[in-house]
Amino acid sequence: MTPQAVSKPIHYRYFINMGPQHPSTHGVLRLVVGLYGEYVLSLEPVIGYGHRMQELMAERRPWPAFLPNTARMDYACGLPHQHCYLLAIEKMLGIAVAQRGEYLRVITTEINRIVSHLLWLGANLLDLGAFTPILYCFDDRENFLDILEDVTGSRLTHCWYRAGGVLNDVPADFADRLRAVIKRMYGRFEIYKNLVTDNIIFQKRTKDIGIITPDLARRYGATGPVLRGSGIAYDIRKSMPYSIYPQLDFDIPVGEQGDCFDRYIVHIEEMRQSLRIIEQCIDRLPEGEVRTKLPKKMTLPPGDCTFSVEGARGEVTYYLVGDGSDVPYRLKVRAPCFSNLSLLPELCEDMLLADMIATMGSLDLVIPEVDR
Amino acid sequence: MKKYFSDLVTGAKSLVAGFIVTFKALLSPVVTVQYPREKLPVGKGYRGHPILILEDDTGRPKCIACGSCMRLCPSQCITVQGEKKEGDKRKYPTVFQVDFTRCSLCGTCSEVCPVAALEYSDVYGLAGFTREEFQYDLLADLPGLVETGFKPVSAD
């Protein structure tokens, strides 16, 4: 779909500012779009509207006091961020994690992943002009959020993990409630298939649109469903196993050609795999302490440490440097959305404006995570 | 040409399948809670703004004014001062203020409290017109549900 516009002189181009307050940029992202008619000639993302100096904040306070901030980076899926931060800390300090606590961490992380994917599913379809599916997504999402709320105390900005485990034990009816919700969720995939996947309008809007080749994805360092949609089975949970993931049985879904439809399929399949992981974890959930006893004040030893986990959007990496005090000398966060966003300008050249929206939606961007 | 019409038929079928889903939802029970008119109970672990817990026998705050919460608060929104008056066995707080505009409801304060004197309230939906309304004096408004200055939006 190369328009004739490309051969036109450059002064035919006009610019519009999409954002920072635009419903389909999902946050304060501004796109400076150069258009010829309805064709996108150039696109430049302008980021930084939500910059809160999260990394600097970490360098100004004791490391336990940074825990609430981790959930504020990726508001849709905060627990993997917190998991990653604590795994880095625990690796640095040599803390053994209580087994039950680690299982609970994985369960809640996977619930959070499903919650995030459901939010993406609804919002992405909303971008494409389908209003109905978001109501079904939020219905399912609400069931999972109710469980998370009872456990962690909040619905979005969870702060429940602590060094050595989790803050408190789960309610007694946790496993039964979760099993009921999982059972319901398995039945809901049929609804999504009829309502969305098979829908001819959705297919026409997403198939062969926004094709990310494996080469393009690799060059920009894309991770998560964006990379897996292009057919590369790269998932930190399998390729650099951490926590208890090596003991669990799950698959890495991949797409075929890397268009928006493939990324949609990958998201749906990932939800199914997360449900499988949660089921296995509930069955094997060990008894005992949820948190190991630790001394009150723990200082970070001199040296550095890096840790990666698989967030809902891709590889989350925390790089931590200690200098002997309990305040980190440096904290660097690698957020997947930044890399995923950076491939958008090259991807969207010569594309229709409406297809650009569909493509951007399929990247699953969370702007506060890009800005930090 | 044949493909065009077969596409047309499969496309129409897919749309009908979608309509069946929505039609079934029309007949299924309503799951939406009509929020201001009906409310769900607040979750067990819900974190509202901090409140001070009182001693059962004396009715005075359990707080020993050690200042752990003040030091460890990530948003630095707590101010505690205390003194030991004549005849008291221990320190009692004289000032306990929470700047709710900065509080991120993380729960660090009640977690670090050595005598479990801080708890979360289950008040939600707080709104106001000035910043001053959210400077909570937890001592003046014991047991913590602040009546002065503002009312929760949900309180009608």
Side-chain angles (χ1 to χ4, degrees):
Chain A
M1 73 150 56
T2 312
Q4 300 116 358
V6 179
S7 59
K8 292 272 181 190
I10 200 76
H11 60 261
Y12 279 86
R13 181 164 65 166
Y14 67 99
F15 288 96
I16 56 166
N17 273 309
M18 222 184 97
Q21 285 87 24
H22 190 277
S24 67
T25 55
H26 301 292
V28 279
L29 171 68
R30 175 171 150 224
L31 295 173
V32 182
V33 192
L35 291 170
Y36 175 77
E38 269 203 74
Y39 286 99
V40 177
L41 294 188
S42 65
L43 180 149
E44 190 193 346
V46 182
I47 59 169
Y49 290 95
H51 181 50
R52 288 151 297 168
M53 302 187 290
Q54 298 277 18
E55 289 172 13
L56 196 75
M57 275 191 219
E59 294 157 20
R60 294 285 183 278
R61 55 184 63 174
W63 64 263
F66 185 66
L67 283 174
N69 287 51
T70 50
R72 265 91 180 161
M73 296 206 207
D74 183 349
Y75 58 80
C77 191
L79 284 172
H81 271 262
Q82 198 164 34
H83 200 181
C84 187
Y85 178 66
L86 277 176
L87 285 170
I89 292 274
E90 281 156 6
K91 189 176 162 191
M92 210 165 179
L93 296 175
I95 300 170
V97 187
Q99 264 301 301
R100 187 178 169 85
E102 193 57 50
Y103 270 85
L104 289 174
R105 282 187 192 178
V106 170
I107 292 174
T108 42
T109 300
E110 295 303 325
I111 296 177
N112 211 193
R113 192 186 312 276
I114 295 170
V115 164
S116 166
H117 281 358
L118 282 170
L119 177 68
W120 167 84
L121 182 61
N124 182 30
L125 291 162
L126 207 56
D127 290 348
L128 295 172
F131 184 75
T132 315
I134 196 171
L135 302 172
Y136 292 81
C137 294
F138 269 59
D139 182 8
D140 294 337
R141 188 171 172 264
E142 211 58 28
N143 286 306
F144 283 109
L145 277 182
D146 282 347
I147 292 178
L148 265 191
E149 191 187 3
D150 271 359
V151 172
T152 69
S154 53
R155 299 167 66 81
L156 218 55
T157 49
H158 313 284
C159 178
W160 189 53
Y161 300 166
R162 295 290 182 277
V166 294
L167 177 60
N168 45 24
D169 209 346
V170 289
D173 58 346
F174 174 72
D176 295 336
R177 278 182 68 192
L178 200 49
R179 279 210 185 87
V181 173
I182 289 172
K183 197 176 165 210
R184 179 176 186 269
M185 187 66 203
Y186 274 128
R188 299 287 282 189
F189 286 120
E190 183 67 23
I191 289 180
Y192 290 123
K193 183 174 176 295
N194 286 333
L195 194 63
V196 186
T197 319
D198 287 348
N199 189 300
I200 186 75
I201 303 169
F202 174 70
Q203 291 194 358
K204 294 264 179 205
R205 284 297 304 275
T206 51
K207 275 195 172 164
D208 299 327
I209 303 291
I211 296 178
I212 299 177
T213 57
D215 173 55
L216 180 73
R218 280 209 179 100
R219 265 191 292 133
Y220 283 96
T223 43
V226 178
L227 182 68
R228 291 194 282 276
S230 306
I232 302 170
Y234 178 74
D235 189 310
I236 309 286
R237 289 174 293 177
K238 284 271 189 199
S239 46
M240 278 195 275
Y242 58 94
S243 186
I244 55 164
Y245 284 109
Q247 304 157 28
L248 300 170
D249 176 33
F250 62 100
D251 303 323
I252 306 296
V254 289
E256 280 157 25
Q257 59 166 350
D259 56 4
C260 296
F261 189 74
D262 279 352
R263 288 194 279 283
Y264 163 80
I265 295 292
V266 167
H267 273 99
I268 294 280
E269 281 305 312
E270 268 186 24
M271 282 197 258
R272 228 187 272 266
Q273 298 303 327
S274 290
L275 291 178
R276 272 180 70 194
I277 293 176
I278 298 170
E279 275 182 333
Q280 293 171 40
C281 285
I282 304 175
D283 290 340
R284 299 180 197 172
L285 189 64
E287 294 296 321
E289 288 287 306
V290 292
R291 189 179 176 187
T292 43
K293 289 262 182 302
L294 296 173
K296 247 199 169 155
K297 187 169 171 161
M298 297 190 82
T299 55
L300 298 171
D304 61 347
C305 169
T306 174
F307 212 98
S308 301
V309 304
E310 182 72 24
R313 290 166 188 78
E315 180 179 349
V316 178
T317 302
Y318 274 66
Y319 174 68
L320 198 69
V321 183
D323 62 350
S325 68
D326 63 341
V327 181
Y329 176 74
R330 176 83 176 95
L331 178 77
K332 167 82 183 84
V333 184
R334 187 247 189 232
C337 282
F338 183 79
S339 308
N340 293 357
L341 172 66
S342 62
L343 59 76
L344 195 65
E346 188 174 329
L347 184 63
C348 289
E349 264 174 30
D350 304 342
M351 202 182 248
L352 276 168
L353 185 61
D355 290 343
M356 190 272 277
I357 300 289
T359 309
M360 189 175 67
S362 74
L363 292 183
D364 194 4
L365 299 173
V366 165
I367 307 305
E369 195 189 38
V370 178
D371 293 340
R372 295 199 290 285
Chain B
M1 195 66 182
K2 202 175 170 189
K3 189 174 181 309
Y4 175 77
F5 283 108
S6 69
D7 277 2
L8 218 58
V9 172
T10 45
K13 268 187 193 163
S14 77
L15 293 183
V16 170
F19 280 130
I20 290 172
V21 171
T22 45
F23 189 73
K24 274 185 191 158
L26 193 69
L27 302 175
S28 62
V30 179
V31 290
T32 315
V33 178
Q34 302 292 331
Y35 163 58
R37 289 190 290 282
E38 27 173 337
K39 283 174 203 152
L40 293 173
V42 176
K44 275 164 272 177
Y46 179 78
R47 298 200 300 260
H49 64 71
I51 50 173
L52 283 176
I53 303 293
L54 305 183
E55 281 172 342
D56 285 338
D57 43 349
T58 59
R60 298 177 74 180
K62 269 180 165 183
C63 176
I64 54 170
C66 65
S68 304
C69 47
M70 185 166 74
R71 273 195 305 280
L72 270 155
C73 176
S75 327
Q76 292 154 19
C77 64
I78 302 178
T79 315
V80 191
Q81 283 167 15
E83 61 177 357
K84 191 177 170 182
K85 287 202 180 105
E86 294 271 323
D88 284 343
K89 278 182 196 152
R90 60 173 174 89
K91 264 165 93 178
Y92 281 95
T94 51
V95 175
F96 203 115
Q97 280 198 321
V98 174
D99 184 352
F100 194 59
T101 55
R102 300 178 66 181
C103 176
S104 56
L105 303 176
C106 63
T108 312
C109 48
S110 84
E111 192 190 327
V112 298
C113 187
V115 290
L118 277 168
E119 259 298 333
Y120 312 114
S121 70
D122 54 0
V123 180
Y124 62 95
L126 301 174
F129 289 99
T130 59
R131 282 157 202 266
E132 286 71 35
E133 290 171 39
F134 294 101
Q135 306 291 336
Y136 296 164
D137 187 353
L138 296 194
L139 289 173
D141 305 298
L142 285 173
L145 300 182
V146 189
E147 296 292 335
T148 51
F150 80 94
K151 280 201 170 66
V153 171
S154 53
D156 299 319

